[in-house]
Amino acid sequence: MCRLNTLYMIQRAGSGHIGSSFSSLDIVTWLFLKELQLGSDVEHIYFSSKGHDSPGLYSVMIALGLIPFDSIHTLRQLGGLPGHPDVSTPGIVANTGSLGMGISKAKGMVQANRLSRQKGQRIFVMLGDGEMQEGQLWESLASAVKSGMWEITAIVDRNRIQSDTWVDLTSPQGDVKSRFRACGWRVETVNGHDFEGLEEVFSSVAEERKRPQVIFAETGKGHGVLRFLHSADENDDTPYPYHSGAVDPELYSEAFRELKERIEAAFRSAGGPAIAFHKGPSRECANPLPYLQKLVPAYEDALANAAKERKKLVALDADLKFDCGLGKFAAEHRERFFECGIAEQDMVSQAGAMAGKGFLPIVHSFSCFLTARANEQIFNNATERTNVTYSGFLAGVVPGGPGHSHQAVRDIAALRGIPDMLMAEPCCEADVPWLLATLLDHAGPSYLRICSIPWERVDIEAIPAAIGHGRVLLPGRKALCFAYGPVLVSQALAAANASPHDIGVVELPWLSTVDSAWLADLVKDTDILFSLDNHQVDGGQGTTLGQALASLRSPAPRLVQIGVEGIAVCGTNSQVLAHHGLDAQSLVDRFDEVLRDE
Amino acid sequence: MCRLNTLYMIQRAGSGHIGSSFSSLDIVTWLFLKELQLGSDVEHIYFSSKGHDSPGLYSVMIALGLIPFDSIHTLRQLGGLPGHPDVSTPGIVANTGSLGMGISKAKGMVQANRLSRQKGQRIFVMLGDGEMQEGQLWESLASAVKSGMWEITAIVDRNRIQSDTWVDLTSPQGDVKSRFRACGWRVETVNGHDFEGLEEVFSSVAEERKRPQVIFAETGKGHGVLRFLHSADENDDTPYPYHSGAVDPELYSEAFRELKERIEAAFRSAGGPAIAFHKGPSRECANPLPYLQKLVPAYEDALANAAKERKKLVALDADLKFDCGLGKFAAEHRERFFECGIAEQDMVSQAGAMAGKGFLPIVHSFSCFLTARANEQIFNNATERTNVTYSGFLAGVVPGGPGHSHQAVRDIAALRGIPDMLMAEPCCEADVPWLLATLLDHAGPSYLRICSIPWERVDIEAIPAAIGHGRVLLPGRKALCFAYGPVLVSQALAAANASPHDIGVVELPWLSTVDSAWLADLVKDTDILFSLDNHQVDGGQGTTLGQALASLRSPAPRLVQIGVEGIAVCGTNSQVLAHHGLDAQSLVDRFDEVLRDE
């Protein structure tokens, strides 16, 4: 029943992780029903370190009444259940979704309990199978042994498939059980879908009072619906299709039917009552725009083309080959494609060394992980004065569904202090090839920041005259609104057109560079300059403009920075943009609020 | 002889790592003499991942004529031999000093060689013993096996002592040989000071054509001079005194004599010529200032005092207990002190979980590592909306001796985009307690940025009226110069006093926050505002001021941002400040250059 509800939640949300939720769900169910002792004097703690399996977790919590049933309709909605766990949800004790932090967090909880003399509370942590590629996991293990943290039970959801395909074809981690054992952990194995086995193994580790324990639970990714299991065998690197995202309506019906029949059969054989199935409330569907642009495929083409001419170009990936538009390059230049697994630090340092040997590496991941997890490694490469390009995807506050672990809105700030770093973001498909070429030609590190979601077309033919120059998309006298990327450029244009004030729109693809002379000339007759950041206000392009304006010799317009403030919220794209005041209507209002005072 | 030269280099530089250089030196010597095949068709590569042992490495390279003999006098001098390896030195192939990156870099080199069809080049990488606590090391191991990287030979300098004390008392890493083996590496062991053993083990691994290999070389930290070995036994956590820094003149003479006698005896017994010992050229000594202030001891007191009142305060450390002023706290509140080893990501996530359980954690390390290596973990904690304070030491461009791996000059930028992050830097001892208290009281993440070197006193009694307000230290009409921290506040005061122009000095301890109304009032009659950043220009306090000025309604002065541009150079403190235009004389000139045009 939890699987069925999970399926519904993800389908309704339009995104979420089915495979991972289904593989860990029997274990989560067992933990909540039998191990956590909820309601007793000492409630134990469970959280998922991978966090991607949160829809499954929510379905269990809903079934037990720990969160209201109606929240089943709110996955990835503003004010609803976040795409990845967040402590704002009752019963959630840790923010996860960014991989590898779970054991560290569990250790902190144990230390806190021991200091508080709170005895007997155990911490159960779910680890992903692919997650074992993250360095922090291995960094965190040994010291749990030094402190004899018997309170910690890790469970590896050993489904053998990560984002793209089989773990062993991506980046096998050797004899992982021996690795845990060599750190001093007690290691157990179980079939993660067999409740009798789960009972036995959890009873056994409950007696442990010396060492932390890890249970390797053999599971199937997508277990519970036949079609959700991987159709390829373990030597076949065909992508696994059900890692994330809703499925097509036909498959949804088929999966629903399969689960429904099994539930009904189980109830019948147990002599239980008939089960009623409810239909969710109808959902407001946004009208799809007819001519969406897609920057990821545009990048895929641009990269493959660039690789034809640049024989030293190599591409590195961290288990996001398709999300980062690497399919074509990997197929055409198999030898120059390096799949590094979910190991961003390792990937970035490898790229640096390849650059030192004369190659031209482009490093790929989601912006949130690439620029933060590997922050020191990117800097280290920069100090070797080589040319490495970092292509970061899923940049910006939308998509809003995955939540703050995946919304890259501080990446510009995090890379800003790296010497010679050139950063740019395309705002249309036509921008991608020339921006990529410009960054590849830049003698130093560079960062290409890419919006991953299809978005309203903004077609610009012209290329700026120089690095640091932007493009005037709409002339305006009273005020100019700067923006970058498809999401905010389209909102800026819509808002400027809808505003009663005379507001122009300038697209500036350079995120941390602006040419002062060009800027001074452009703004000389302007009263107000708005900057729109698909990023935190502090540290984004508005900050670039702010420091440039403040340093101008000529009188400069006043700058009003608009962007994300506070922690980015989770929700649909329109909810998230509206919440942060970044949709066209909010901008019209904001423009008016500022300009009517002038 | 290399040890003697190493001893001289470090003594002359006034800093550097004796213990680590001496423990790895016999291995490095062997590699250069016998394994690297320098001058042959296929020269093999050696680099040290820990990088701290660079004086020993330089002494070997000098002995072989790979770098000029005269460079022996230039360790940690501008244009000389950098404190940690940098590719600007001939023969150095990787920038290291920031731990854990070595195997990743070696893998990148192997991939590049294979793509270039350069066959047979082997990569030898020295790993530190404490370095094995870094997650990136464990992240990097398994995929070297997937690609059958027999070309890589790692050597662990297993001296069993890290920065503070014994590895096993700091954060033991379990059965590390088994951990390597479980990743698929071939594991060998040798006495790292026995040349016959080294010959045997390197001959043996030279035949390997399938797997990467690691040689655990049992060594003594400081080996070669009796007094440099640890006097405590392995159960005694007395600090090891010779991890870094020059020694006192008496010990220097004693060590010199011991090495000299051994060299002479060896030459005599081999029938070699008499050895001549040269005295280095005389060194220009800066006159020590009589009343230096020391912020680290001030922090040590402030922390211990804060802990008396705040019972929930806990402190976490990454093997820099003494560098981070934690001695007193650790002694007085043993239960609340958590030594995490060189595992910054693990430490930060543990702190987050402790905060989630109601504790008030302060996380300690050098700023360069804390804010970069653990960047994503700091953000993750912030999204849990807890109160965690990060105390970063060795902040800023000086000391200049360790070089760019240790000079934290992009930390403000790297943390700037984290919601609610409050950042501050004390400029005098009296600032430390109230700033620490303010950050601890801040409901959200905070960062205390601390200059580690004793510096000229700047005594300020007054406390700013509010967060975001600064203190006018010297009134001025024509221009105001903003600065923070002891180094640049003292330079600003000296420059303003020496300048013919009417320049005031304002100290602003808040790094990413300024109160707009206070600023507007302060600068209303000022033509020029200088910002001085002990940080990269882009992303430092000048950036904070820039965006604030650009947003003011009233006419604002023009901002001239002064700070580090490009990669921070290595050298003495005065060389580094002068190079980056941050010493008082450079500032006088810069002020004049700007103001005479106005």
Side-chain angles (χ1 to χ4, degrees):
Chain A
M1 290 169 82
C2 286
R3 281 194 172 82
L4 193 141
N5 285 344
T6 300
L7 177 71
Y8 164 77
M9 291 167 82
I10 292 173
Q11 198 70 9
R12 186 180 179 82
S15 63
H17 296 84
I18 292 182
S20 175
S21 290
F22 278 30
S23 72
S24 64
L25 197 40
D26 295 324
I27 304 161
V28 177
T29 305
W30 180 265
L31 287 168
F32 272 82
L33 287 176
K34 296 294 184 179
E35 305 296 334
L36 298 189
Q37 313 282 345
L38 300 182
S40 74
D41 284 351
V42 180
E43 296 188 333
H44 302 311
I45 285 178
Y46 167 75
F47 68 95
S48 168
S49 176
K50 55 176 174 173
H52 292 57
D53 52 353
S54 57
L57 170 62
Y58 296 144
S59 73
V60 172
M61 294 171 75
I62 286 171
L64 294 172
L66 299 170
I67 46 180
F69 183 81
D70 276 354
S71 62
I72 200 171
H73 310 304
T74 68
L75 181 65
R76 297 184 169 221
Q77 299 278 328
L78 186 66
L81 296 171
H84 290 84
D86 186 280
V87 293
S88 61
T89 307
I92 298 291
V93 296
N95 286 9
T96 56
S98 169
L99 302 177
M101 302 180 186
I103 301 299
S104 303
K105 287 174 184 264
K107 290 192 301 183
M109 292 174 190
V110 170
Q111 299 286 24
N113 282 347
R114 290 182 178 184
L115 275 178
S116 308
R117 310 280 181 265
Q118 183 181 348
K119 292 197 176 158
Q121 184 177 54
R122 300 174 62 200
I123 323 285
F124 296 90
V125 188
M126 182 73 70
L127 301 175
D129 198 0
E131 185 180 18
M132 287 192 291
Q133 291 160 358
E134 276 292 358
Q136 188 179 352
L137 173 69
W138 303 104
E139 181 175 298
S140 67
L141 294 182
S143 83
V145 175
K146 183 191 177 199
S147 305
M149 292 195 182
W150 60 268
E151 298 96 321
I152 299 177
T153 303
I155 304 116
V156 177
D157 179 15
R158 191 88 166 121
N159 60 36
R160 298 180 186 275
I161 298 171
Q162 51 191 107
S163 170
D164 288 350
T165 186
W166 298 102
V167 170
D168 277 355
L169 299 179
T170 305
S171 185
Q173 289 299 300
D175 179 351
V176 281
K177 291 181 191 172
S178 292
R179 291 178 71 177
F180 269 89
R181 232 177 255 123
C183 290
W185 284 56
R186 172 172 168 176
V187 177
E188 301 286 345
T189 305
V190 72
N191 173 343
H193 304 304
D194 168 26
F195 288 106
E196 285 177 21
L198 290 171
E199 175 163 31
E200 196 175 319
V201 76
F202 281 109
S203 302
S204 160
V205 298
E207 303 302 313
E208 175 68 50
R209 285 296 176 278
K210 288 189 178 153
R211 293 174 295 168
Q213 317 98 46
V214 59
I215 298 169
F216 281 82
E218 298 291 340
T219 56
K221 194 154 178 173
H223 180 94
V225 169
L226 286 175
R227 282 278 301 279
F228 291 165
L229 295 174
H230 202 349
S231 60
D233 73 29
E234 295 201 9
N235 300 311
D236 176 348
D237 71 354
T238 302
Y240 172 73
Y242 310 113
H243 174 74
S244 68
V247 296
D248 66 55
E250 201 175 330
L251 178 54
Y252 178 74
S253 300
E254 183 185 326
F256 192 95
R257 202 161 46 238
E258 181 180 337
L259 291 166
K260 180 166 178 282
E261 283 168 9
R262 196 167 327 127
I263 294 165
E264 288 174 333
F267 268 72
R268 266 198 308 275
S269 78
I275 303 300
F277 292 87
H278 299 281
K279 214 171 144 45
S282 67
R283 189 160 68 116
E284 192 188 324
C285 278
N287 283 326
L289 290 164
Y291 302 112
L292 291 179
Q293 62 176 345
K294 297 179 180 177
L295 297 188
V296 179
Y299 180 82
E300 183 147 15
D301 288 338
L303 177 67
N305 288 333
K308 282 180 195 139
E309 286 161 27
R310 301 174 196 251
K311 303 295 180 198
K312 290 290 191 181
L313 192 158
V314 294
L316 297 90
D317 174 46
D319 191 29
L320 292 165
K321 187 162 115 180
F322 306 101
D323 298 89
C324 297
L326 283 161
K328 196 176 277 190
F329 177 90
E332 293 175 2
H333 306 280
R334 201 171 185 89
E335 204 192 34
R336 292 197 261 157
F337 174 70
F338 297 90
E339 179 49 69
C340 302
I342 312 170
E344 296 81 7
Q345 306 194 11
D346 182 41
M347 171 172 67
V348 168
S349 292
Q350 284 191 69
M354 295 170 90
K357 284 267 191 182
F359 285 87
L360 187 61
I362 312 186
V363 185
H364 298 78
S365 187
F366 286 156
S367 292
C368 53
F369 306 137
L370 185 58
T371 64
R373 187 64 62 108
N375 190 277
E376 190 175 15
Q377 289 75 12
I378 293 174
F379 170 68
N380 175 271
N381 285 349
T383 66
E384 292 183 348
R385 304 159 186 85
T386 50
N387 180 347
V388 182
T389 298
Y390 303 91
S391 292
F393 291 77
L394 213 71
V397 77
V398 285
H404 47 64
S405 61
H406 287 62
Q407 288 160 306
V409 290
R410 55 178 209 94
D411 50 328
I412 303 173
L415 299 184
R416 183 176 277 285
I418 293 178
D420 296 324
M421 176 65 75
L422 180 63
M423 303 194 234
E425 181 168 339
C427 88
C428 62
E429 291 171 0
D431 272 355
V432 179
W434 72 264
L435 273 179
L436 178 62
T438 306
L439 298 193
L440 289 173
D441 288 337
H442 173 63
S446 57
Y447 174 51
L448 189 62
R449 184 180 202 258
I450 297 163
C451 170
S452 282
I453 45 173
W455 201 262
E456 186 177 338
R457 292 196 83 86
V458 178
D459 288 313
I460 311 178
E461 295 285 320
I463 293 175
I467 291 173
H469 290 219
R471 295 170 286 196
V472 178
L473 304 186
L474 190 71
R477 282 219 341 251
K478 181 73 183 161
L480 287 174
C481 178
F482 274 67
Y484 56 90
V487 175
L488 293 196
V489 168
S490 64
Q491 303 310 298
L493 284 168
N497 284 320
S499 171
H501 303 282
D502 183 9
I503 303 172
V505 174
V506 181
E507 188 276 345
L508 180 66
W510 318 101
L511 303 173
S512 58
T513 314
V514 62
D515 183 300
S516 286
W518 170 82
L519 182 67
D521 187 56
L522 179 75
V523 304
K524 61 180 186 293
D525 299 321
T526 307
D527 296 336
I528 294 282
L529 204 150
F530 294 98
S531 64
L532 295 197
D533 262 296
N534 192 355
H535 186 276
Q536 296 283 339
V537 163
D538 192 3
Q541 188 182 74
T543 297
T544 307
L545 291 167
Q547 55 186 348
L549 291 170
S551 72
L552 291 184
R553 282 174 176 278
S554 46
R558 177 161 74 94
L559 175 68
V560 176
Q561 289 182 245
I562 301 172
V564 177
E565 301 195 60
I567 299 168
V569 296
C570 176
T572 66
N573 298 338
S574 52
Q575 287 172 338
V576 168
L577 289 178
H579 175 92
H580 289 290
L582 292 170
D583 64 322
Q585 187 53 55
S586 300
L587 292 175
V588 169
D589 296 344
R590 185 72 187 277
F591 291 162
D592 186 55
E593 186 188 306
V594 171
L595 293 174
R596 74 180 168 213
D597 286 356
E598 288 294 312
Chain B
M1 291 168 80
C2 286
R3 281 195 172 81
L4 192 140
N5 284 344
T6 299
L7 178 69
Y8 164 77
M9 292 167 82
I10 292 171
Q11 199 68 9
R12 185 178 178 82
S15 63
H17 296 85
I18 292 182
S20 175
S21 291
F22 277 30
S23 72
S24 64
L25 198 40
D26 295 324
I27 303 161
V28 177
T29 305
W30 180 265
L31 286 169
F32 272 81
L33 287 175
K34 296 293 185 181
E35 304 296 335
L36 297 190
Q37 312 283 346
L38 300 182
S40 74
D41 284 351
V42 181
E43 296 188 333
H44 302 310
I45 284 177
Y46 167 75
F47 69 94
S48 168
S49 176
K50 55 177 173 172
H52 291 58
D53 52 353
S54 58
L57 170 61
Y58 296 145
S59 73
V60 172
M61 294 172 75
I62 286 170
L64 294 172
L66 299 171
I67 47 179
F69 184 81
D70 276 354
S71 63
I72 200 171
H73 310 304
T74 69
L75 180 65
R76 298 185 168 220
Q77 299 278 327
L78 187 66
L81 296 171
H84 291 84
D86 186 280
V87 293
S88 61
T89 307
I92 298 290
V93 296
N95 286 9
T96 56
S98 168
L99 301 177
M101 302 180 187
I103 301 300
S104 303
K105 287 173 184 265
K107 290 193 300 181
M109 292 174 190
V110 170
Q111 299 285 25
N113 283 346
R114 290 181 178 185
L115 274 178
S116 309
R117 311 278 182 267
Q118 184 181 348
K119 293 198 174 159
Q121 184 178 56
R122 299 174 62 200
I123 323 285
F124 296 90
V125 188
M126 183 73 72
L127 302 175
D129 199 1
E131 186 180 18
M132 287 192 291
Q133 290 159 359
E134 276 292 358
Q136 188 180 352
L137 173 69
W138 302 104
E139 181 174 298
S140 67
L141 294 183
S143 81
V145 175
K146 182 190 177 201
S147 306
M149 292 195 181
W150 59 268
E151 298 96 321
I152 299 176
T153 304
I155 305 116
V156 177
D157 179 14
R158 190 88 165 123
N159 61 37
R160 297 179 187 276
I161 298 171
Q162 51 192 106
S163 170
D164 288 350
T165 186
W166 299 102
V167 170
D168 277 355
L169 298 180
T170 305
S171 184
Q173 288 300 300
D175 180 350
V176 281
K177 291 181 192 173
S178 292
R179 292 178 70 177
F180 268 91
R181 230 177 256 123
C183 291
W185 284 56
R186 172 172 167 176
V187 176
E188 301 286 344
T189 305
V190 71
N191 173 343
H193 304 303
D194 168 26
F195 288 105
E196 285 176 21
L198 290 171
E199 175 164 31
E200 197 176 317
V201 76
F202 281 109
S203 303
S204 159
V205 298
E207 304 300 316
E208 175 68 50
R209 286 294 176 280
K210 287 191 179 152
R211 292 173 295 169
Q213 318 97 48
V214 60
I215 299 169
F216 281 82
E218 296 291 339
T219 57
K221 194 154 178 173
H223 180 95
V225 169
L226 286 175
R227 281 279 302 278
F228 290 166
L229 295 173
H230 202 349
S231 60
D233 74 29
E234 296 201 9
N235 299 312
D236 176 348
D237 71 353
T238 302
Y240 172 72
Y242 309 114
H243 173 73
S244 69
V247 297
D248 66 55
E250 201 175 331
L251 178 53
Y252 178 73
S253 300
E254 183 186 324
F256 192 96
R257 203 161 47 238
E258 181 180 336
L259 290 166
K260 180 167 178 282
E261 282 168 11
R262 198 168 323 128
I263 294 165
E264 288 173 332
F267 268 72
R268 267 199 308 275
S269 78
I275 303 299
F277 291 87
H278 299 281
K279 213 171 143 47
S282 67
R283 189 160 69 116
E284 191 188 325
C285 277
N287 284 325
L289 291 164
Y291 302 113
L292 292 179
Q293 63 175 345
K294 298 180 179 175
L295 297 188
V296 179
Y299 180 82
E300 184 146 16
D301 288 338
L303 178 68
N305 287 335
K308 280 179 197 142
E309 286 161 26
R310 301 175 195 252
K311 302 297 180 196
K312 290 289 190 181
L313 192 158
V314 293
L316 297 89
D317 174 47
D319 191 29
L320 292 165
K321 187 162 114 180
F322 306 99
D323 297 87
C324 298
L326 284 161
K328 196 175 277 189
F329 177 90
E332 292 175 3
H333 305 282
R334 202 172 184 88
E335 203 191 35
R336 289 197 263 157
F337 174 70
F338 297 90
E339 178 50 69
C340 301
I342 311 171
E344 296 81 5
Q345 305 193 5
D346 181 43
M347 171 172 67
V348 167
S349 294
Q350 285 189 70
M354 294 169 90
K357 283 269 191 181
F359 286 87
L360 187 61
I362 312 187
V363 186
H364 298 78
S365 187
F366 287 156
S367 292
C368 52
F369 307 137
L370 184 59
T371 63
R373 187 63 64 107
N375 190 276
E376 191 175 15
Q377 289 75 13
I378 293 173
F379 169 68
N380 174 271
N381 285 349
T383 66
E384 292 182 347
R385 303 161 188 85
T386 50
N387 180 348
V388 182
T389 298
Y390 304 91
S391 291
F393 291 78
L394 213 71
V397 77
V398 287
H404 48 63
S405 60
H406 287 61
Q407 288 160 306
V409 290
R410 54 178 210 92
D411 50 329
I412 302 172
L415 299 184
R416 182 177 279 286
I418 293 177
D420 296 323
M421 175 67 74
L422 180 62
M423 304 194 234
E425 179 168 340
C427 87
C428 63
E429 292 171 0
D431 271 354
V432 179
W434 72 263
L435 273 179
L436 178 63
T438 306
L439 297 193
L440 289 172
D441 288 338
H442 172 64
S446 57
Y447 174 51
L448 189 62
R449 184 180 201 258
I450 296 162
C451 170
S452 281
I453 46 173
W455 201 263
E456 187 178 336
R457 292 195 83 86
V458 178
D459 289 313
I460 311 178
E461 296 285 319
I463 293 177
I467 291 173
H469 290 220
R471 295 171 286 196
V472 178
L473 303 186
L474 190 71
R477 283 219 340 250
K478 180 75 182 160
L480 286 174
C481 178
F482 274 67
Y484 57 90
V487 176
L488 293 195
V489 169
S490 64
Q491 303 310 299
L493 284 168
N497 284 320
S499 171
H501 304 282
D502 183 8
I503 304 172
V505 173
V506 181
E507 189 275 345
L508 180 67
W510 317 102
L511 304 173
S512 57
T513 314
V514 61
D515 184 299
S516 286
W518 171 82
L519 181 68
D521 187 56
L522 180 75
V523 304
K524 62 180 185 294
D525 299 320
T526 307
D527 296 336
I528 295 282
L529 203 150
F530 294 99
S531 63
L532 294 197
D533 261 296
N534 193 355
H535 186 277
Q536 296 284 340
V537 162
D538 192 3
Q541 188 182 75
T543 297
T544 307
L545 292 167
Q547 55 187 347
L549 290 170
S551 73
L552 291 184
R553 281 173 177 277
S554 46
R558 176 160 76 93
L559 175 68
V560 176
Q561 288 182 246
I562 301 172
V564 177
E565 302 195 58
I567 299 168
V569 296
C570 177
T572 65
N573 298 339
S574 52
Q575 286 172 340
V576 168
L577 289 179
H579 175 92
H580 289 291
L582 292 170
D583 64 323
Q585 187 53 55
S586 301
L587 293 176
V588 170
D589 296 344
R590 186 71 188 277
F591 291 163
D592 185 55
E593 187 188 305
V594 171
L595 293 175
R596 73 182 169 214
D597 287 356
E598 287 296 311

